[in-house]
Amino acid sequence: MATFNFRKAGTALAAVTALSLTLTACGGESEPAATNGGDGEAVDTSAASGQIDYWLWDNNQKPAYEQCAADFQEETGVSVTITQYAWDDYWSGITNGFVAGTAPDVFTNHLSRYPEFVTQGQLMALDATLEADGVDVDGYQEGLADLWVGQDGQRYGLPKDFDTVAIFYNKALIEEAGVDEADLAALEWNPEDGGTYEEMIAHLTIDNNGVRGDEPGFDKTKVAVYGLGLDGGSGGGNGQTQWSMYSGTTGWTVTDKNPWGTKYNFDAPEFKDTISWMASLADKGYMPTVEAVTGQSSGDIFGAGKYAMITNGSWMINQMFGYTGIETGLAPTPVGPSGERASMYNGLADSVWAGSDNKAAAVKWVEYLGSAACQDVVGEAGVVFPAIPSATEKAQAAFADRGIDVEPFLVHVNEGTTFLFPITDYASQINGIMQPAVDAVFTGQADVDSLDAANEQVNALFNG
């Protein structure tokens, strides 16, 4: 969905953990002041006028939203100033803006952040105004609207888009390996021996002497091309682009319920077996180590011809198909023990800052962002999958016009094999526990059973 991997939950939580600690470590002066965002009172959007600020982090989407803003101004007279920041700067600007009273009226929100923002009273509850304006929240892809209803039963965002995970592959490397591209759509995985999926990964791996991973004499210490890339690290506690598409086929769930679970299941055998299998790929030389990819762009490594395949999110489509000299293909994630594929289902929304001094215009803009009028514009731009089904179809057509068949991403929505990104309280603290814990297993510094203790620490957050 972007040049920057803004959807990656592990990256998202890692980035915000430090921010959360910064906001709380310095005492009351650094705490965001509660702004009574959840009072639930309706605002009269018919009186919307003036100017508002809107922030987003994906520069690729900015032109489409600038078109939406121009159309919105023509319709309502409200002027929208759109500002784009890189991921880290974006969230520091939001959180610092809460403290200083300078946050934008409306901003693109993430599931890893909004529970904390609700607790802090920084988001405006939208229900009463949406009802008064006759806005139907049932017109989005199934499940997306529910993600943005807090534990208090109030809505804090309107869906803008969604993402799933698929396999990007290097067509030349697939051909050189004598593999039919159609075979990539029929791979099966299990945590015991990796199934035909691991067999394919091994075959696509090549050492510096041209020996493949499934051939005698393969040197795992000198790998020229990895059969499977690793997207930035271990994935911490949700592994959206690293391992969630595998664990999701085992019957394992991250929490006891979603959203708003209060018990995590990182000590379950299904999860530990999945993580053990992932770690074994690096140990065999079929996948790079966490140390090798930390701080690196997984897309750029793919673009350099170093990965035959890599699992990544739909926000990466344009980047992965844009590398000079690389012909890219897409395949669905493998079928697992459940007999089905699986993909984490994540969705962004637009939220109104409770401290906005122009709430009428701010909510009016959020309603417009969540409408078919704007989402069709975004879909036709072919950057993301908008939340409204008709706009999703426009995005699929826009990608197809550029020769990109995105069905491997949409198959999960069409077949009902998605599962929701975990939404709970204490997201930053949980990442602070699970990121090093999963890293340690991936790097061989700790046994997989060490995840039991990490899980106890996580669940203690809910029982303290």
Side-chain angles (χ1 to χ4, degrees):
M1 276 192 174
T3 300
F4 183 84
N5 298 351
F6 66 89
R7 278 274 183 32
K8 294 188 294 185
T11 301
L13 290 173
V16 301
T17 298
L19 292 174
S20 178
L21 293 173
T22 299
L23 287 169
T24 57
C26 299
E29 292 183 0
S30 295
E31 288 285 359
T35 52
N36 195 27
D39 57 18
E41 296 181 1
V43 298
D44 182 6
T45 61
S46 67
S49 62
Q51 183 273 335
I52 57 172
D53 292 317
Y54 174 55
W55 286 13
L56 48 75
W57 63 74
D58 181 10
N59 194 49
N60 288 337
Q61 293 187 61
K62 188 178 179 182
Y65 284 110
E66 287 176 334
Q67 181 61 57
C68 287
D71 296 342
F72 179 69
Q73 183 172 4
E74 183 176 351
E75 179 179 311
T76 66
V78 176
S79 172
V80 181
T81 300
I82 300 179
T83 305
Q84 179 266 331
Y85 291 100
W87 178 262
D88 289 342
D89 292 337
Y90 182 86
W91 291 112
S92 62
I94 294 290
T95 53
N96 291 337
F98 290 161
V99 176
T102 58
D105 301 280
V106 179
F107 62 96
T108 301
N109 210 344
H110 194 282
L111 292 172
S112 67
R113 290 299 291 180
Y114 103 91
E116 295 179 28
F117 292 165
V118 171
T119 299
Q120 295 166 358
Q122 297 297 336
L123 302 183
M124 178 181 172
L126 302 175
D127 305 77
T129 306
L130 297 179
E131 182 178 359
D133 290 348
V135 175
D136 180 12
V137 298
D138 296 326
Y140 302 104
Q141 295 282 8
E142 185 176 357
L144 290 183
D146 296 339
L147 297 174
W148 295 92
V149 176
Q151 293 189 78
D152 59 4
Q154 299 195 82
R155 178 173 303 284
Y156 293 98
L158 279 184
K160 63 192 290 103
D161 52 37
F162 71 89
D163 57 79
T164 54
V165 176
I167 298 171
F168 292 92
Y169 63 87
N170 183 316
K171 288 192 173 187
L173 294 176
I174 298 299
E175 183 178 355
E176 289 172 9
V179 172
D180 188 325
E181 290 181 52
D183 292 342
L184 299 179
L187 297 174
E188 297 182 351
W189 171 85
N190 68 72
E192 287 76 36
D193 62 15
T196 59
Y197 185 51
E198 181 170 335
E199 291 175 7
M200 181 65 71
I201 294 169
H203 183 64
L204 294 175
T205 302
I206 310 172
D207 70 15
N208 289 346
N209 295 317
V211 180
R212 295 189 175 276
D214 57 357
E215 296 177 337
F218 169 71
D219 186 350
K220 69 177 184 179
T221 68
K222 297 178 180 179
V223 177
V225 175
Y226 289 100
L228 183 68
L230 181 62
D231 186 27
S234 72
N238 43 64
Q240 182 179 6
T241 58
Q242 293 86 3
W243 46 259
S244 68
M245 70 294 298
Y246 314 128
S247 62
T249 69
T250 66
W252 177 78
T253 58
V254 184
T255 53
D256 55 348
K257 62 179 181 178
N258 197 21
W260 311 117
T262 57
K263 179 180 182 295
Y264 276 75
N265 301 314
F266 295 123
D267 59 348
E270 296 86 354
F271 173 69
K272 293 194 289 186
D273 288 347
T274 301
I275 296 302
S276 292
W277 176 77
M278 284 290 289
S280 76
L281 291 183
D283 184 61
K284 295 172 183 176
Y286 303 159
M287 182 183 78
T289 63
V290 168
E291 299 94 329
V293 302
T294 299
Q296 305 296 312
S297 164
S298 63
D300 289 349
I301 298 173
F302 176 87
K306 302 298 184 182
Y307 294 159
M309 302 187 297
I310 185 170
T311 54
N312 217 320
S314 52
W315 61 89
M316 289 290 289
I317 294 172
N318 287 332
Q319 179 173 338
M320 299 295 271
F321 277 81
Y323 289 107
T324 301
I326 301 293
E327 189 175 2
T328 302
L330 281 172
T333 55
V335 173
S338 66
E340 297 181 328
R341 311 181 196 280
S343 174
M344 185 173 283
Y345 193 41
N346 189 17
L348 303 182
D350 292 302
S351 298
V352 176
W353 176 40
S356 168
D357 58 6
N358 193 354
K359 289 187 175 66
V363 178
K364 193 75 170 178
W365 173 235
V366 166
E367 292 176 350
Y368 190 78
L369 289 168
S371 72
C374 178
Q375 296 204 7
D376 282 354
V377 169
V378 175
E380 289 168 356
V383 180
V384 297
F385 296 134
I388 293 176
S390 62
T392 303
E393 293 173 2
K394 290 182 183 299
Q396 185 174 14
F399 284 119
D401 287 344
R402 302 202 295 269
I404 304 173
D405 180 4
V406 295
E407 180 61 23
F409 287 108
L410 297 178
V411 65
H412 299 290
V413 175
N414 297 332
E415 296 183 356
T417 56
T418 62
F419 57 95
L420 298 179
F421 179 99
I423 305 169
T424 70
D425 288 329
Y426 310 111
S428 297
Q429 295 95 317
I430 291 167
N431 184 69
I433 295 168
M434 293 307 303
Q435 187 71 56
V438 179
D439 281 354
V441 176
F442 265 62
T443 59
Q445 298 176 28
D447 184 85
V448 71
D449 288 332
S450 63
L451 296 174
D452 293 353
N455 192 64
E456 289 181 9
Q457 293 179 52
V458 167
N459 287 332
L461 295 170
F462 297 90
N463 302 315

